[in-house]
């Protein structure tokens, strides 16, 4: 009887609990989970520590309000070289070098008139016999300049009628500069170039200055042209054999 009574009580308790749970759930809504509205981090008014200027300033906010915003503009295009001006500068520089290398013309010194007092003082001494003149000596400063030594085989380099070999003595960026350089070389080595003709052969280069090559021909063969070049190189003049 005790066991039966306990079982009945247990079953009744379970049924009562179920009824109570269903009755509570039917009269109450589902719980709503929301985020906490309070701030997670609060910045203090005085953080302390070392203060660096503009440490909290954003890059895009820099200078904001310092000056009115201006409309954006494109950057200037890349600078283009002025080829014509470069050619003109090279031609002027070559002409100046040719004019600078030319020997200056000697100007005679103006005659100085004799002072009347010196003539009056030298008049009484004119009657006295003149002292014997010292032997004439040639000073190193007044000695005439000697011409450059003529090579022993200069006649070998004489131009011939049907000579095909040529030599090139330089190349300059303008015809006037090239002609001036040829005249300078003729004055420098007249024993080798005075009886020769020059050919200014232009060389066109794409996108660059036209060069004028200084050439002279009429050599009997390539061996003669090479010997001529060796003779020019001994005088510190560049030389190159063309053809033959």
């Amino acid at each position: 009887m005790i066991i039966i009574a306990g079982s009945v009580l247990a079953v009744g308790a379970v049924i009562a609990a179920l009824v109570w749970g269903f009755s509570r759930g039917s009269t109450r809504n589902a719980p709503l989970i929301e985020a906490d509205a309070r701030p997670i981090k609060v910045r203090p008014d005085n953080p302390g520590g070392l203060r660096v200027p503009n440490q909290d300033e954003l890059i895009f906010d820099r200078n904001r309000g310092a000056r009115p915003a201006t409309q954006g503009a494109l950057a200037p295009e890349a600078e283009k070289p002025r080829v014509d001006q470069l050619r003109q500068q090279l031609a002027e520089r070559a002409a100046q070098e040719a004019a600078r290398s030319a020997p200056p013309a000697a100007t005679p010194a103006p005659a100085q008139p004799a002072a009347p007092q010196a003539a009056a003082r030298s008049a009484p001494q004119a009657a006295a016999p003149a002292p014997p003149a010292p032997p004439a000596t040639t000073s190193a400063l007044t000695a005439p300049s000697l011409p450059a030594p003529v090579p022993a085989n200069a006649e070998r380099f004489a131009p011939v009628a049907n000579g095909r070999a040529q030599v090139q003595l330089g190349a300059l960026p303008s015809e006037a500069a090239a002609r001036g350089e040829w005249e300078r070389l003729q004055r420098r080595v007249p024993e080798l170039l005075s009886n020769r003709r020059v050919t200014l052969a232009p060389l066109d280069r794409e996108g660059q200055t036209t060069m004028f090559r200084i050439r002279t021909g009429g050599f009997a063969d390539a061996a003669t042209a090479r010997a001529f070049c060796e003779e020019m190189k001994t005088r510190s003049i560049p030389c190159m054999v063309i053809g033959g």
Side-chain angles (χ1 to χ4, degrees):
M1 294 295 290
I2 295 174
I3 296 174
I4 295 172
S7 300
V8 172
L9 291 175
V11 171
V14 171
I15 294 173
L18 292 175
V19 172
W20 180 80
F22 279 111
S23 62
R24 294 278 296 179
S26 60
T27 59
R28 186 178 179 182
N29 297 330
L32 179 61
I33 302 175
E34 298 179 356
D36 192 355
R38 295 175 300 174
I40 298 176
K41 294 183 179 180
V42 179
R43 183 176 181 179
D45 296 335
N46 185 12
L50 178 64
R51 298 293 297 173
V52 180
N54 304 323
Q55 65 178 1
D56 298 328
E57 182 181 357
L58 298 178
I59 297 177
F60 296 104
D61 293 340
R62 185 175 299 172
N63 299 331
R64 184 171 61 179
R67 57 184 178 182
T70 57
Q71 186 177 2
L74 295 177
E77 60 180 355
E79 183 180 358
K80 298 180 180 179
R82 298 294 300 275
V83 181
D84 52 347
Q85 293 184 359
L86 293 176
R87 292 180 178 177
Q88 184 179 0
Q89 292 177 1
L90 290 175
E92 293 177 356
R93 186 177 301 173
Q96 294 176 1
E97 291 293 337
R100 191 181 298 110
S101 60
T107 56
Q112 298 292 337
Q117 294 82 358
R121 287 196 301 267
S122 60
Q125 298 177 2
T137 58
T138 303
S139 175
L141 298 177
T142 60
S145 58
L146 299 178
V150 180
N153 53 356
E155 297 180 357
R156 177 187 176 188
F157 304 141
V160 297
N162 299 326
R164 297 182 179 180
Q166 295 182 343
V167 297
Q168 179 171 318
L169 301 176
L172 294 174
S174 67
E175 184 177 358
R179 191 170 298 279
E181 177 66 13
W182 168 254
E183 294 175 356
R184 186 185 71 84
L185 292 176
Q186 280 187 317
R187 292 190 298 268
R188 184 174 177 181
V189 283
E191 66 278 6
L192 297 178
L193 299 178
S194 59
N195 59 344
R196 290 194 166 275
R197 295 183 179 180
V198 65
T199 301
L200 303 180
L203 174 62
D204 296 329
R205 301 179 296 173
E206 183 178 358
Q208 299 182 9
T209 306
T210 301
M211 303 297 293
F212 290 86
R213 297 166 291 183
I214 306 174
R215 294 181 177 180
T216 179
F219 294 95
D221 50 17
T224 305
R226 285 193 295 270
F228 178 85
C229 278
E230 293 298 330
E231 194 69 34
M232 297 295 287
K233 290 178 182 178
T234 58
R235 292 166 167 77
S236 300
I237 299 176
C239 184
M240 181 176 59
V241 179
I242 306 296

